[in-house]
Amino acid sequence: MTFRQAKWDEPIIYELGAPGRIGFLVPDVEEEIKREVGEIRIPDKIRRSEDPALPEVSEVEVVRHFINLSQMAYGVDNGPIPLGSCTMKYNPKIAFEIANDSRISNLHPLQDERTVQGLLEALYLLQKWLANIVGMDACTLHPAAGAHGELAGVLIIRKYHELRDQLDKKKEIVIPDSAHGTNPASAVMGGFKVVTIKSTPDGNIDIEALKAAVSEKTAGLMLTNPSTLGLFEEHILEIAEIVHEVDGLLYYDGANLNGIMGYARPGDMGFDIAHINIHKTFSAPHGGGGPGAGPICVKDREVDPEKGIKLSDLLPGFIVEYDDKNKRYYLKRPGSYSIGMLRSFFGNVAPLLWGFTYILALGPQGLKEVTELSVLNTNYFLKLIRGVKGYSLPYGPNRYYKHEVAISAEPMAKDTDVTAEDIAKGLLDAGFYAPTIYFPLIVREALQIEFTDTETKENIEKYAARMREIAEIAYKNPDEPKKWPINTSKRRIDTVKASHPRYVAPTWRVHILRSKGMLKVLK
Ligand SMILES: *Cc1c(COP(=O)(O)O)cnc(C)c1O
């Protein structure tokens, strides 16, 4: 089967339409508003002096524009997106139906709590379920992404030591070299110095190196388990002991929760704080920057026994509680020990409801099956690709993997000069999505692959067959992969230019400025 992606010379929407053309009819509610609330006068000082430069297009132009663009793109509704670490699952449509219901989508965060009891109940249950899934005592749904949850977690670690009068000593956060880049970034944003620990050839943390690095200065440790290599940390209980010994806290990066959910809980492994990516494990869509949701949960660890402060008192944002006496859900504002507000209100409600629906639909047994299928899919794929000339498994070559696997194309690159990037283009060319490449950083020519629980056996087989075919082509005719992709709407993109702020025009504003010659640097 040959794959050919649509190629449209699609203009940006500002180049479409004509002055005065409109796409929808605004209901005439002026009279109604006057009747209900009286004359509305918008103060001059907050009025715009000019109309905003919005596109003037008809409905049919808008529909065709975005349909054309979608035909040049690839999404999880087209086929698998086996991006390791990102956990790009198919997103069941039922979840959108629930969150798009006007009884939910028309609510306002400042509405009287008594009028939003249904939504608050859903969020309350979600807090409880998530706490149960990670084995912790309290959760907040407040953070807007995994990285945001990490920052919240690091600020909690900071506050913990501050309330114990230890902050002048506690300066360092320990992170393994297999970590996602957001971990060290969050630690630094929280005001800590990062101490990196190497991984051993079997993909675990080097315990001797950890012991040498941990000291009185250690404020905490951030760990992803299973790691970004896809391997479960076999010494986690010992690691927890080493870190707790010096009064450090353990932070769990829960982006890979779909590798263990229902079978193991970070709370039982000794972690004190965990974030959960609703937009990964719990199937809310992501990509293109969100919206995401990164709830964090904590153990009821004592912070100050005399004052009766617990870790849960440090959680940020609004938390949904239940008033048993009045039989009513309500929002608890951040108390005096909380790290405060990290964004508005109680979180990104739409993805939270997608996750809520997903958990409710699957139930406890279904969530365990998600884990089983994720792990089975990874190991089945590995069985199809293991031993193929050109690929290798640099870490834990004989271990079972969890939800993902980091393969190296270093042998192929050395033998033929065909790189992980070329392999990715070869996959795109055959109508697949490329895996995550060049991450984790500790794997040379990395191809980090995650099929998730939603991919079929046939698709995994086709993907592996294409990877085998690419390896054969690389050894027979190493010039060919350098020409890929041929069948996509855009040929090979200059990745240096594409990620350089000098050349990128990601918004219409930049485009307009450039077309008017006002952004010379972009020419
Ligand atoms: C995705 C991911 C994160 C960050 O989560 P975002 O929601 O993208 O901010 C952190 N750690 C790991 C291992 C991840 O895969």
Side-chain angles (χ1 to χ4, degrees):
M1 216 164 59
T2 310
F3 162 79
R4 284 190 200 88
Q5 204 165 33
K7 296 183 190 198
W8 304 103
D9 283 330
E10 189 64 22
I12 64 167
I13 200 160
Y14 279 87
E15 292 161 340
L16 295 171
R21 200 173 284 171
I22 53 171
F24 71 108
L25 299 174
V26 187
D28 188 4
V29 290
E30 223 167 288
E31 283 308 313
E32 208 177 313
I33 291 173
K34 254 189 214 158
R35 223 179 20 250
E36 294 283 330
V37 294
E39 189 89 31
I40 295 177
R41 277 282 311 148
I42 298 172
D44 283 338
K45 67 169 190 278
I46 62 168
R47 275 174 186 261
R48 289 173 203 267
S49 54
E50 265 178 66
D51 285 344
L54 296 175
E56 298 184 80
V57 279
S58 63
E59 179 175 325
V60 63
E61 284 178 297
V62 173
V63 170
R64 286 181 184 156
H65 175 65
F66 287 108
I67 292 289
N68 286 353
L69 288 179
S70 76
Q71 290 182 340
M72 290 168 64
Y74 182 101
V76 79
D77 288 351
N78 290 104
I81 300 195
L83 278 177
S85 221
C86 300
T87 312
M88 298 291 281
K89 298 182 180 196
Y90 172 75
N91 311 118
K93 302 300 174 222
I94 174 81
F96 305 124
E97 237 168 84
I98 306 265
N100 287 348
D101 188 300
S102 62
R103 286 169 293 178
I104 290 190
S105 58
N106 286 345
L107 298 180
H108 193 279
L110 289 176
Q111 212 165 310
D112 188 324
E113 281 164 11
R114 284 169 301 185
T115 67
V116 288
Q117 287 293 300
L119 175 64
L120 292 182
E121 182 179 359
L123 298 177
Y124 179 81
L125 288 173
L126 184 60
Q127 286 171 187
K128 286 249 176 274
W129 295 342
L130 294 177
N132 200 348
I133 289 168
V134 294
M136 305 252 167
D137 300 301
C139 300
T140 174
L141 306 175
H142 183 69
H148 204 204
E150 286 174 33
L151 176 64
V154 170
L155 293 177
I156 288 175
I157 293 175
R158 198 180 171 83
K159 189 86 179 181
Y160 170 86
H161 294 302
E162 188 189 311
L163 289 168
R164 293 163 72 86
D165 285 329
Q166 298 291 314
L167 195 57
D168 55 340
K169 231 171 45 195
K170 297 290 187 185
K171 298 285 181 209
E172 298 174 351
I173 290 201
V174 178
I175 302 176
D177 61 359
S178 60
H180 196 259
T182 49
N183 290 188
S186 301
V188 169
M189 276 185 82
F192 292 101
K193 187 172 156 259
V194 173
V195 177
T196 309
I197 306 290
K198 274 176 94 72
S199 302
T200 58
D202 55 7
N204 291 313
I205 284 190
D206 185 331
I207 293 286
E208 291 314 312
L210 179 73
K211 281 184 186 159
V214 165
S215 72
E216 287 302 306
K217 287 191 223 158
T218 307
L221 167 124
M222 297 177 88
L223 188 72
T224 316
N225 192 20
S227 68
T228 62
L229 297 165
L231 291 165
F232 190 83
E233 173 53 63
E234 295 172 302
H235 309 300
I236 183 56
L237 296 177
E238 194 183 344
I239 292 169
E241 231 172 81
I242 294 168
V243 176
H244 281 153
E245 190 76 24
V246 296
D247 196 27
L249 295 184
L250 277 90
Y251 180 87
Y252 181 81
D253 177 330
N256 294 344
L257 194 60
N258 60 328
I260 56 163
M261 173 172 63
Y263 280 90
R265 308 191 308 170
D268 301 334
M269 297 174 205
F271 287 96
D272 305 290
I273 311 167
H275 87 251
I276 296 157
N277 297 64
I278 296 293
H279 48 284
K280 291 183 180 173
T281 302
F282 298 101
S283 186
H286 60 121
I296 55 167
C297 306
V298 293
K299 280 280 199 53
D300 243 349
R301 196 186 171 91
E302 302 238 323
V303 179
D304 184 335
E306 268 171 39
K307 290 191 188 138
I309 310 171
K310 291 190 167 169
L311 223 41
S312 53
D313 296 316
L314 278 49
L315 286 171
F318 293 0
I319 294 173
V320 189
E321 304 240 317
Y322 185 63
D323 172 356
D324 207 23
K325 201 162 120 251
N326 295 308
K327 305 273 174 256
R328 198 180 284 166
Y329 295 95
Y330 65 99
L331 288 168
K332 194 183 81 177
R333 265 87 183 138
S336 47
Y337 300 113
S338 159
I339 60 164
M341 296 293 280
L342 297 179
R343 49 155 293 142
S344 54
F345 305 112
F346 34 92
N348 274 339
V349 169
L352 292 170
L353 285 174
W354 294 329
F356 171 80
T357 311
Y358 183 79
I359 297 175
L360 188 62
L362 288 172
Q365 193 54 38
L367 292 183
K368 283 181 84 166
E369 282 169 26
V370 165
T371 304
E372 288 163 14
L373 285 172
S374 313
V375 173
L376 181 65
N377 282 352
T378 307
N379 289 288
Y380 180 56
F381 169 72
L382 251 179
K383 186 171 161 14
L384 300 174
I385 208 81
R386 225 184 208 127
V388 173
K389 191 177 173 196
Y391 302 116
S392 69
L393 263 184
Y395 288 91
N398 300 314
R399 290 183 65 185
Y400 278 110
Y401 278 67
K402 292 285 180 275
H403 61 296
E404 68 189 339
V405 56
I407 291 173
S408 171
E410 192 183 23
M412 195 187 302
K414 277 194 173 146
D415 297 342
T416 71
D417 205 28
V418 172
T419 62
E421 187 181 4
D422 300 327
I423 296 165
K425 303 302 181 197
L427 284 159
L428 294 180
D429 216 25
F432 297 107
Y433 203 82
T436 299
I437 55 173
Y438 300 107
F439 179 79
L441 302 176
I442 53 173
V443 175
R444 298 228 177 99
E445 298 295 331
L447 299 160
Q448 192 199 31
I449 303 179
E450 171 174 13
F451 282 102
T452 81
D453 52 293
T454 58
E455 230 29 83
T456 62
K457 183 167 175 278
E458 300 84 77
N459 279 344
I460 295 168
E461 286 164 358
K462 282 188 211 154
Y463 205 89
R466 178 61 183 163
M467 281 185 63
R468 282 199 304 267
E469 186 179 45
I470 290 171
E472 267 170 40
I473 296 170
Y475 279 93
K476 258 194 231 135
N477 185 6
D479 293 334
E480 194 181 330
K482 301 290 172 193
K483 298 178 194 138
W484 294 335
I486 294 159
N487 298 312
T488 49
S489 56
K490 294 278 176 223
R491 297 288 300 270
R492 194 176 289 220
I493 284 162
D494 183 332
T495 44
V496 175
K497 267 192 177 173
S499 59
H500 197 296
R502 243 182 92 146
Y503 301 104
V504 185
T507 66
W508 64 269
R509 187 186 294 278
V510 173
H511 181 89
I512 302 260
L513 292 176
R514 180 164 54 176
S515 65
K516 287 183 178 167
M518 291 163 75
L519 265 189
K520 294 213 170 47
V521 71
L522 287 163
K523 285 216 164 149

